[in-house]
Amino acid sequence: MVLAVTTFAGQAEVGGYADGDGNQAEFRLPNSIATDAAGNVYVADTANNTIRKIDTNGVVSTLAGVPGRHGSNDGAGASARFWAPFGIAVDAAGTVYVADTGNNTIRQISTNGVVTTLAGMAGQPGSTNGPGASARFRNPWGVAVDSADNVYVADMSNDTIRKIKPSGMVVTVAGQAGIIGSIDGFGTDAQFNNPFAIAVDAAGNLYVSDSANNLIRKISPSRVVSTLAGLPGNAGNTDGNGDSARFWNPQGLTVDRAGNIYVADTGNNLIRKITPMGEVTTVAGLPGVSGTADGVGKEARFNGPGGITVDRAGNIYVADTNNHAIRKIALSTPPSP
């Protein structure tokens, strides 16, 4: 069995806006991607200021927002507005959470398509903790949700990891606003440098793509931050264990049921895998070589992949940002000799 890359939706190198079947649809700089329990795929279509949905038949529709129009209005479907949404996550009930980066807010989309603002205030960046609209974010980039409906935010320009409790109270889990670094440690003693994406596993561990540090970090349920893979300040594409591995501007990441982490290694145009033991391998792509080609493993090409998710069957979906396309990586049986 081998891993084969195909283009699932969108047209490579064609940035635009169109709903429709798979390759008839168009996206513009899709940056993040998530799946629900039924296998539907959700896309933060950043430059279109929309949230898109790809159903299990591969049909693309617009869940919320209007292409080419940015704003911060709450409301149903096309009545809502976003501004450069980057992060997206879905909980077990099918509620969608969006890091609405340009508005410095976290939005929520109900299962009937109604958009509300969960935390933050549009147009008011900051780092304040507090309930709902009293809290402030600064370019929140990534978002994740756990089984208890806690929402976690990679608050990129604050260099912190935030948590929104089910009550709506926002607290800081790790890092200190405005303090850049790569130090491991407990909670606010730890440091990050442009944390882009965040994921959570079944045990409550958080994983962070610490992009400007070229690291993948781990935060335990007791808020202890450690470095899972990579070496601070050392960009590269080397596979290996722990700090012998190298990344270059890693952005999206996700975790599967077995605890494997998949990383959209954006600067390298690669998809990487980290086992629970910290062993890093390359799943698809060729270091430093961009393109649109489908294929097996190193035959495939990406162009600045920004987001990644994995469904319950183990299929991997990639928001191939600069190709304006959604790619799928799945097991494939090679032909017999």
Side-chain angles (χ1 to χ4, degrees):
M1 303 293 281
V2 294
L3 288 171
V5 179
T6 57
T7 299
F8 183 61
Q11 303 174 51
E13 298 183 319
V14 178
Y17 173 82
D19 288 333
D21 290 340
N23 300 127
Q24 299 303 309
E26 295 177 2
F27 302 86
R28 190 181 297 276
L29 298 179
N31 265 282
S32 187
I33 191 166
T35 57
D36 66 15
N40 299 296
V41 177
Y42 299 84
V43 180
D45 193 6
T46 306
N48 277 323
N49 297 306
T50 56
I51 304 303
R52 315 287 291 278
K53 178 181 178 179
I54 310 172
D55 69 18
T56 53
N57 294 317
V59 178
V60 179
S61 60
T62 300
L63 181 65
V66 175
R69 298 184 184 179
H70 74 266
S72 60
N73 295 357
D74 289 335
S79 299
R81 296 290 182 271
F82 301 87
W83 189 4
F86 272 85
I88 195 165
V90 187
D91 69 15
T95 301
V96 178
Y97 299 88
V98 178
D100 194 4
T101 307
N103 280 319
N104 295 299
T105 56
I106 305 302
R107 314 289 290 280
Q108 181 176 294
I109 309 175
S110 69
T111 53
N112 58 1
V114 176
V115 179
T116 55
T117 301
L118 180 64
M121 182 70 74
Q124 297 190 31
S127 59
T128 308
N129 288 322
S134 299
R136 298 290 181 268
F137 302 88
R138 191 179 300 275
N139 292 325
W141 207 274
V143 66
V145 58
D146 69 14
S147 59
D149 292 331
N150 295 295
V151 177
Y152 298 92
V153 180
D155 195 4
M156 187 191 69
S157 292
N158 277 325
D159 300 297
T160 56
I161 305 302
R162 315 285 290 282
K163 177 181 178 179
I164 308 172
K165 299 179 180 181
S167 66
M169 180 64 68
V170 178
V171 298
T172 299
V173 174
Q176 299 181 56
I179 298 179
I180 295 171
S182 60
I183 295 172
D184 290 335
F186 175 77
T188 55
D189 292 334
Q191 297 173 356
F192 301 87
N193 191 355
N194 284 4
F196 267 54
I198 189 165
V200 58
D201 69 15
N205 297 294
L206 301 175
Y207 302 92
V208 178
S209 58
D210 193 7
S211 185
N213 278 325
N214 299 305
L215 301 176
I216 306 301
R217 314 287 290 280
K218 179 179 179 180
I219 308 174
S220 74
S222 58
R223 298 176 57 207
V224 176
V225 179
S226 57
T227 298
L228 183 64
L231 192 66
N234 285 260
N237 54 61
T238 308
D239 289 336
N241 192 270
D243 62 6
S244 65
R246 297 290 182 270
F247 301 87
W248 183 13
N249 188 30
Q251 293 189 9
L253 83 171
T254 190
V255 58
D256 70 12
R257 288 180 162 191
N260 298 297
I261 301 153
Y262 294 91
V263 179
D265 192 3
T266 309
N268 280 319
N269 295 308
L270 299 176
I271 304 304
R272 315 287 291 280
K273 177 182 177 180
I274 310 173
T275 69
M277 299 303 293
E279 187 69 29
V280 179
T281 55
T282 298
V283 172
L286 195 64
V289 181
S290 63
T292 63
D294 291 334
V296 174
K298 292 182 179 181
E299 297 173 359
R301 298 290 182 267
F302 302 89
N303 190 359
I308 190 166
T309 192
V310 59
D311 68 15
R312 292 190 172 193
N315 298 301
I316 302 164
Y317 298 89
V318 178
D320 194 4
T321 305
N322 293 336
N323 276 327
H324 311 288
I326 306 304
R327 314 290 291 281
K328 181 178 180 180
I329 306 175
L331 285 173
S332 175
T333 304
S336 300

